[in-house]
Amino acid sequence: MSAPASPSPVRRGIRDTSAQDTVHVARPDRRRRWLAIAAAAIAVIAALAWLIAGWASGATSIDAARLRIAEVTRGDLVRDIAAEGRVISANSPTLYAIAPGTVTLKVVAGDRVEKGQVLAEIDSPELRSKLVQEESTFASLQAEAERATLDARIARAEARKLLDQAQIERTAAERDLQRYQRAFEAGVVAQVDLAKSEDALKKTDIGLASAREDANLQGQGAGLDARNKQLLADRQGAVVAEARRQVRALTLRAPFDGQVGQVQVAQFTNVAANAPVLGVVDLSVFEVEIKVPESFARDLAIGMPAEIRSANEVFPAEVSAVSPEVVAGEVAARVRFSERQPAGLRQNQRLSARILLDTRRDVLMVERGPFVEQSGGRYAYVVDGNSAVRRPIQAGASSLGAVEIVSGLQAGERIVVSGSDLFGDAERVRISR
């Protein structure tokens, strides 16, 4: 049996279709691989573009949930102040003890009283005894003043008497001189007698001048003494009047028609001088005391229009007082009913008050927020898509809810009114949503 024939060389060089099938199948896998690589490259490029956009919009990214954004609008800006206040009487004095003593109350808290009605009496033996002593001293000084006045009259009368006598003596001397003059001319008397009569007249002239001077001095001296004694008596009279006033003040009376407020002492207890006894409330005039932020205090003025809300009714009012003192960043102000007041008001009752500062017509305004205080109204962050850009502005008047925009913004633009403190003065900040 012969061996099989070896394959022909020509047939070994011819490939079958299996190799062709293998090459044909591998070509689509290579394309998908390149497509996947291209997609990954595109994703990387998009990510890089996103990062570049983020860097371009700002180094800081803030969550929008942490911000409050408001739109700039145009309208009427009403500057007002609204606050809760408590009702107080415009006239509610407290009566004090003028001197130490025992108190006898005639009323209780809540009683209606009329002007002049006795509310309480204070028994002060010390003050009453002082009044008796001062009255006795006054009587003594008054008697001395009257005695000094009488002495002055007597001294003046005596001086006038001496003056009259000197006047009479001078008149007599003048007559003697005239008689001696005629006799000398008739040759009846000697010249020496005429000279004696002339000397006598001169002597009476001197006496008359001296009497006049003495009368003047006596009158002045007596008047000064009497006046001094009278001044002492008048001074003591003032002391007595004050002591009498204090004794009368031991009886506490209602200064007006009203109601007894808080009674601060118990019946028949001893009180010290200047201790509060009770208060009286004037029920005819009430006011509402409110606390105003210090930033608005400079705009307040007495007489400004206001409103007071009680239940569902609004009552016209006006500012009646503004405290000059700032306490804990607030200023106390009082609002008074200008026409009528609600019935049944009570001391310390809570009411809402609103003070109208002014109204600005047709102005740009935006919701008020911390951005006004943070930059002093000079900058704002304007929202532009996903970014907030810092822009210089000029803020004007403000109310509790809105602030006027003088320049730098347009109606329809949106700005960050709260949360801009997180931006750290960056020029541009990205807002993530």
Side-chain angles (χ1 to χ4, degrees):
M1 188 170 173
S2 60
S6 59
S8 174
V10 176
R11 290 184 62 184
R12 287 198 301 266
I14 300 175
R15 298 181 178 179
D16 57 12
T17 58
S18 61
Q20 296 177 0
D21 293 339
T22 301
V23 173
H24 180 73
V25 172
R27 190 173 298 165
D29 292 339
R30 193 175 296 115
R31 286 180 179 177
R32 279 195 293 269
R33 214 170 17 249
W34 282 110
L35 288 174
I37 293 172
I42 292 173
V44 171
I45 292 172
L48 290 174
W50 182 82
L51 291 175
I52 293 172
W55 292 334
S57 63
T60 305
S61 178
I62 303 297
D63 188 356
R66 304 176 65 182
L67 307 177
R68 189 168 83 249
I69 300 173
E71 182 179 351
V72 179
T73 60
R74 182 173 291 277
D76 296 339
L77 176 65
V78 179
R79 300 184 63 223
D80 60 355
I81 301 173
E84 289 289 327
R86 64 184 184 95
V87 176
I88 59 174
S89 174
N91 192 13
S92 56
T94 299
L95 306 184
Y96 293 83
I98 194 69
T102 304
V103 177
T104 302
L105 297 174
K106 304 295 183 180
V107 293
V108 296
D111 284 353
R112 296 270 182 158
V113 295
E114 298 178 355
K115 182 178 180 179
Q117 180 178 338
V118 176
L119 307 180
E121 293 181 348
I122 302 174
D123 183 18
S124 178
E126 178 183 357
L127 190 56
R128 297 184 185 278
S129 175
K130 178 182 177 183
L131 173 59
V132 173
Q133 296 174 13
E134 298 296 348
E135 288 178 337
S136 176
T137 303
F138 173 66
S140 175
L141 292 177
Q142 188 65 34
E144 291 183 4
E146 293 175 355
R147 178 62 186 178
T149 301
L150 179 60
D151 291 342
R153 294 176 59 187
I154 293 173
R156 291 192 186 96
E158 183 67 23
R160 283 196 300 270
K161 175 183 176 182
L162 295 177
L163 178 59
D164 293 341
Q165 290 178 354
Q167 184 66 42
I168 293 173
E169 291 177 356
R170 199 268 179 192
T171 303
E174 186 178 9
R175 289 175 182 159
D176 289 343
L177 177 59
Q178 293 174 357
R179 188 171 57 252
Y180 275 103
Q181 185 70 35
R182 290 193 297 270
F184 175 76
E185 292 176 353
V188 176
V189 297
Q191 185 175 3
V192 66
D193 295 331
L194 178 61
K196 289 180 180 181
S197 63
E198 290 175 350
D199 294 339
L201 179 60
K202 292 178 181 180
K203 182 178 180 180
T204 56
D205 286 339
I206 295 173
L208 179 59
S210 177
R212 286 174 178 170
E213 185 69 18
D214 290 345
N216 186 28
L217 295 176
Q218 286 287 345
Q220 291 181 3
L224 289 175
D225 185 58
R227 183 171 178 271
N228 183 50
K229 293 294 181 64
Q230 187 60 50
L231 288 175
L232 292 175
D234 292 343
R235 178 181 180 278
Q236 185 62 27
V239 173
V240 170
E242 174 61 19
R244 288 174 180 170
R245 185 195 65 81
Q246 293 180 5
V247 170
R248 287 194 301 269
L250 293 175
T251 301
L252 304 182
R253 300 179 181 273
F256 44 73
D257 296 344
Q259 186 177 21
V260 177
Q262 183 179 5
V263 178
Q264 304 188 31
V265 297
Q267 183 74 286
F268 303 128
T269 57
N270 291 324
V271 295
N274 301 320
V277 178
L278 51 81
V280 183
V281 179
D282 187 354
L283 300 177
S284 61
V285 181
F286 280 106
E287 295 180 345
V288 177
E289 184 181 58
I290 62 174
K291 302 293 185 180
V292 178
E294 181 182 358
S295 58
F296 289 95
R298 63 177 62 91
D299 297 327
L300 287 179
I302 296 176
M304 278 186 170
E307 296 175 351
I308 299 176
R309 180 176 294 274
S310 177
N312 295 325
E313 191 173 0
V314 176
F315 297 85
E318 63 180 15
V319 178
S320 61
V322 179
S323 174
E325 182 180 9
V326 178
V327 179
E330 295 179 324
V331 175
R334 288 191 178 189
V335 181
R336 177 180 299 171
F337 294 93
S338 57
E339 295 179 3
R340 62 186 182 92
Q341 62 187 31
L345 285 182
R346 294 183 177 272
Q347 189 91 334
N348 295 321
Q349 181 179 344
R350 305 296 296 184
L351 291 179
S352 298
R354 178 170 174 255
I355 301 175
L356 305 177
L357 300 179
D358 63 12
T359 301
R360 301 188 177 228
R361 304 292 182 184
D362 192 28
V363 297
L364 285 176
M365 58 184 180
V366 70
E367 178 186 346
R368 179 169 179 169
F371 81 98
V372 179
E373 287 76 18
Q374 289 167 6
S375 64
R378 295 177 298 170
Y379 298 97
Y381 281 89
V382 181
V383 178
D384 182 11
N386 292 330
S387 301
V389 181
R390 191 183 190 205
R391 183 188 299 177
I393 66 168
Q394 181 180 354
S398 61
S399 66
L400 289 178
V403 59
E404 178 188 7
I405 302 300
V406 178
S407 63
L409 296 174
Q410 299 295 329
E413 290 185 317
R414 299 188 305 151
I415 68 171
V416 179
V417 297
S418 177
S420 58
D421 56 324
L422 303 173
F423 298 168
D425 293 333
E427 292 297 327
R428 180 183 292 270
V429 177
R430 183 175 179 275
I431 300 177
S432 60
R433 301 183 184 274

